[in-house]
Amino acid sequence: MPVTRKPDERLRDVSRRMILDRTAGLLVRQGYGATSLRDIAQACDMKAGSLYYHFDGKDALVEEIMTEGVKRVEASVLDALQAASGSPPLDRVRIAMEVHLRTLHDKSDYGSAHIRCFAHVPADIRHRLRSTRAGYDAVWARLLSEAQQAGAIAPDIDLHTLKFAIIGMMNWTLEWPLQNGVGPEEMANSFFRIAFMGAGQD
Amino acid sequence: MPVTRKPDERLRDVSRRMILDRTAGLLVRQGYGATSLRDIAQACDMKAGSLYYHFDGKDALVEEIMTEGVKRVEASVLDALQAASGSPPLDRVRIAMEVHLRTLHDKSDYGSAHIRCFAHVPADIRHRLRSTRAGYDAVWARLLSEAQQAGAIAPDIDLHTLKFAIIGMMNWTLEWPLQNGVGPEEMANSFFRIAFMGAGQD
DNA sequence: AAGAAATTATAACAAGTGTTAGGTAAAAGG
DNA sequence: CCTTTTACCTAACACTTGTTATAATTTCTT
């Protein structure tokens, strides 16, 4: 088991985290259906049967990763919003967009594994993940609502649709990468410009 | 083989189309990995082995559906643009958005099957689909370029990013339905409003 | 260092998958 | 209507998959 650990780390915890990490990477690269337990085990220098010591089965492993994916994005965005609590409303929106994109693209595979595989996991998992996702959704709803109440968003804009448009364009960057070399900050700035100032010219 | 056909229709053509139609529906509902040839055969009141008379294999069938999916969206959008050739540039953009959404949501399952399964088919299929998709991409690139040259889109807007944002928000409606009862026209209008006039308030 | 507990390997299982080749029923052609 | 061709059935195959129970190895505790 070629995994490095510190003296106070239990093997179980280190192995378990490594399995989660490597599986997340496989899910991003191959998708749910094309990632077998044997693939996962190989990526971990283990055998498939051993994975059952740590997880109840493939789907439990996958669900844990996907749940953690949403949680990580949510935590990152909340942290950033907390740190920017005194900033103007639309600045906070732009920051949230940037952090969302950074978490998806740069931080780890968990968030992107979630988005990539959501539509393909068994229905019961998807159902449970929907409510986890709804929590993060509420973060955006609150953020946009505050911005609209502060007068920063036009009153005729339906916030549900706006949230949807923003999240849609951001998450779509995982399916069809925007452009090589473009980072989260630049993406966020471009999308923010389009969504809030509009691409149109009078 | 419970399928209705007209006197001039060949059984082969009718059966083949029915297999494509029903498979597209399954792909939308279940995804690529969870749709077996036995599922498809059952949906067609056939046995799995029989599908080989019409298609070389599962992947040939799936690829044909997904290719047709892009082609249908493209054809619909091009038709609509042709019919609106005298309209102002941004009207044409809005029409294209509406037709894109209508084709995805109301017309048939082929387009949505494409989007749902794209990230999950074998890499060689995905590679070929990428170039099919690039053709449709070019339709949008041209449309937006004409609008910008006509002065309808701000000169600082990068058209590649704008196209991306628009397609992203529209295609995301397949992953996470915007709202029950909202049709393509209303969606298109809302997304158009956000993307071109901006949600912000001065 | 020894023994207990933890962690991984192993072999096997049952079920499912895409596919093939030969057979048969249905459609088409004259 | 009869014959030929077409379209579907069938049985089997080889392989893959998630999973289980037991064995073996490694880690942890005293």
Side-chain angles (χ1 to χ4, degrees):
Chain A
M1 180 35 79
V3 66
T4 60
R5 56 184 176 121
K6 299 177 188 140
D8 61 325
E9 287 183 309
R10 306 298 301 265
L11 181 61
R12 176 179 58 195
D13 297 328
V14 170
S15 294
R16 199 174 190 283
R17 175 53 54 191
M18 188 254 319
I19 293 165
L20 287 165
D21 287 350
R22 294 191 185 184
T23 304
L26 285 172
L27 291 177
V28 169
R29 221 168 308 136
Q30 302 181 172
Y32 172 77
T35 299
S36 69
L37 281 180
R38 287 169 174 83
D39 290 336
I40 293 166
Q42 188 179 18
C44 299
D45 280 309
M46 285 169 67
K47 301 295 180 181
S50 309
L51 297 170
Y52 287 84
Y53 177 76
H54 297 275
F55 301 97
D56 286 343
K58 176 181 176 176
D59 285 343
L61 169 56
V62 168
E63 184 175 350
E64 188 167 334
I65 286 163
M66 290 173 71
T67 300
E68 188 171 326
V70 181
K71 294 266 179 68
R72 283 186 177 207
V73 176
E74 183 179 337
S76 296
V77 170
L78 281 174
D79 284 351
L81 290 179
Q82 179 86 346
S85 56
S87 305
L90 285 192
D91 279 1
R92 297 181 80 230
V93 171
R94 201 199 54 73
I95 285 162
M97 287 169 74
E98 183 181 331
V99 172
H100 179 98
L101 285 162
R102 172 164 289 120
T103 312
L104 286 193
H105 285 271
D106 294 351
K107 281 288 192 65
S108 79
D109 293 322
Y110 288 70
S112 46
H114 177 112
I115 290 164
R116 182 157 169 29
C117 300
F118 181 79
H120 294 262
V121 292
D124 60 309
I125 297 184
R126 195 160 53 245
H127 185 76
R128 286 195 289 279
L129 290 172
R130 265 199 152 108
S131 29
T132 310
R133 218 163 160 155
Y136 180 50
D137 214 57
V139 173
W140 277 94
R142 197 159 49 240
L143 179 64
L144 293 177
S145 179
E146 286 166 2
Q148 192 169 48
Q149 276 160 30
I153 292 175
D156 68 298
I157 293 284
D158 174 52
L159 292 185
H160 182 69
T161 306
L162 177 60
K163 174 185 61 177
F164 191 97
I166 291 168
I167 290 176
M169 64 180 79
M170 289 194 293
N171 290 350
W172 191 250
T173 60
L174 291 174
E175 162 109 23
W176 192 264
L178 179 55
Q179 223 162 357
N180 285 332
V182 179
E185 187 180 359
E186 195 178 339
M187 279 193 259
N189 288 339
S190 299
F191 289 157
F192 180 85
R193 161 80 176 83
I194 290 163
F196 288 93
M197 303 185 216
Q201 172 115 320
D202 302 314
Chain B
M1 184 32 82
V3 66
T4 60
R5 61 184 172 121
K6 297 176 192 143
D8 61 325
E9 287 182 309
R10 306 300 298 267
L11 181 60
R12 176 178 59 197
D13 297 329
V14 171
S15 293
R16 199 173 189 287
R17 176 51 54 190
M18 187 258 314
I19 294 165
L20 288 164
D21 288 348
R22 293 190 187 185
T23 304
L26 284 173
L27 293 176
V28 169
R29 220 169 309 135
Q30 302 181 173
Y32 172 77
T35 299
S36 68
L37 281 181
R38 287 168 176 83
D39 290 336
I40 292 167
Q42 189 179 17
C44 300
D45 280 307
M46 286 170 65
K47 301 297 180 180
S50 308
L51 298 169
Y52 287 84
Y53 177 77
H54 297 275
F55 302 96
D56 286 344
K58 176 179 175 174
D59 285 343
L61 170 56
V62 169
E63 185 175 349
E64 188 169 332
I65 286 164
M66 290 172 71
T67 301
E68 189 172 322
V70 181
K71 294 265 178 69
R72 283 185 178 210
V73 177
E74 184 179 336
S76 295
V77 170
L78 281 175
D79 284 350
L81 290 179
Q82 178 84 344
S85 56
S87 304
L90 285 191
D91 279 1
R92 297 181 78 231
V93 171
R94 203 199 51 73
I95 285 162
M97 287 168 75
E98 183 180 331
V99 172
H100 179 98
L101 286 162
R102 172 165 291 120
T103 313
L104 285 194
H105 285 271
D106 295 350
K107 280 291 192 61
S108 80
D109 292 323
Y110 287 70
S112 46
H114 177 111
I115 290 166
R116 182 159 170 27
C117 298
F118 181 79
H120 295 262
V121 292
D124 60 309
I125 296 184
R126 195 159 54 242
H127 185 75
R128 285 193 291 277
L129 290 172
R130 266 199 151 107
S131 33
T132 309
R133 221 164 157 154
Y136 180 50
D137 213 57
V139 173
W140 277 95
R142 198 160 47 241
L143 179 65
L144 294 176
S145 178
E146 285 165 3
Q148 190 168 50
Q149 274 158 30
I153 292 176
D156 68 298
I157 294 284
D158 175 52
L159 293 184
H160 181 71
T161 305
L162 177 58
K163 173 186 63 181
F164 192 97
I166 290 167
I167 290 176
M169 67 181 73
M170 288 194 292
N171 289 352
W172 192 249
T173 60
L174 291 174
E175 162 109 25
W176 193 263
L178 179 55
Q179 225 162 356
N180 285 332
V182 179
E185 188 180 356
E186 195 178 339
M187 279 193 261
N189 288 340
S190 299
F191 289 158
F192 181 85
R193 161 81 176 78
I194 290 165
F196 289 93
M197 302 182 216
Q201 175 117 317
D202 301 315

